Amino acid sequence: MEYDEIVKHCEALVYRDKFRLSQLLIQLARKEEEIQNPQKRNYISEKKDADAITQEPTTDVNSIQYVTERLDKLRPSKKKTLINSIRAMYQFQGAISEEDQKRIIDKLKKKKFLKIESNNRVTYL
C-alpha cells in the first residue's frame, strides 16, 4: 500500500478514528526512532540516580526528586496507575523501558516514599 492510497482511506475516517490513528503512528515512529538511534535514549543509571536525589534540579526528569514531586501531586492509588504515571513523565523523551520503571519504583520504595501492598494498592509514607 502506498502513501497516497493510505491518505485516501484516512480521509474517509471520522475524526476520532483519525486521532487514534495519528496517536498510533506517533507511537510507532517513536519506537522505530528509538531502535534506530539508541544512543539518544535517556537511560537511568544507578550512580546518577543516587546523586540525583541531592544534587540535580527538580526539572531534570532523570531525578528521583522530580518523580517524587510529580507523584506527590498525582498520588496514584494502584500499582498500574503508578506505572502509567511514571511512563507519562517520560513519554516525550521516547518512552521508558519496563526495567527503568521497575528501577524507579524500587528507588521510591527504598527512599520510603511509597509502599506497594500485596493487593497492588499504593500507600504513601
Side-chain angles (χ1 to χ4, degrees):
M1 193 178 272
E2 291 193 23
Y3 178 80
D4 293 332
E5 192 177 342
I6 294 171
V7 169
K8 262 187 187 176
H9 289 291
C10 289
E11 288 173 350
L13 295 173
V14 295
Y15 77 96
R16 285 188 179 177
D17 288 337
K18 288 177 185 174
F19 282 130
R20 287 178 48 213
L21 179 62
S22 66
Q23 185 176 15
L24 173 69
L25 290 172
I26 289 169
Q27 289 172 347
L28 291 173
R30 282 186 177 157
K31 283 238 184 248
E32 187 175 331
E33 182 185 28
E34 235 178 74
I35 292 167
Q36 290 178 2
N37 303 314
Q39 70 278 4
K40 291 183 180 179
R41 177 113 190 269
N42 288 333
Y43 289 100
I44 299 173
S45 67
E46 292 292 326
K47 185 174 186 327
K48 186 173 181 182
D49 270 347
D51 295 339
I53 293 170
T54 56
Q55 295 177 355
E56 293 184 13
T58 58
T59 54
D60 181 8
V61 292
N62 287 330
S63 168
I64 290 295
Q65 185 178 356
Y66 173 81
V67 175
T68 56
E69 287 176 0
R70 296 277 309 269
L71 289 176
D72 199 29
K73 291 178 184 176
L74 296 171
R75 290 226 178 243
S77 60
K78 295 181 182 175
K79 184 177 179 180
K80 185 176 180 179
T81 54
L82 172 67
I83 291 170
N84 285 339
S85 298
I86 292 171
R87 191 178 300 144
M89 291 177 206
Y90 292 88
Q91 72 182 6
F92 294 114
Q93 296 181 332
I96 183 171
S97 70
E98 287 184 27
E99 180 182 317
D100 286 343
Q101 291 169 22
K102 288 178 185 175
R103 191 175 297 143
I104 288 172
I105 292 171
D106 289 341
K107 287 189 180 295
L108 292 171
K109 287 179 186 176
K110 195 179 285 185
K111 192 179 172 192
K112 297 192 190 268
F113 177 74
L114 56 80
K115 180 171 78 171
I116 299 176
E117 307 289 334
S118 59
N119 61 355
N120 285 330
R121 284 276 184 204
V122 179
T123 306
Y124 295 89
L125 307 172

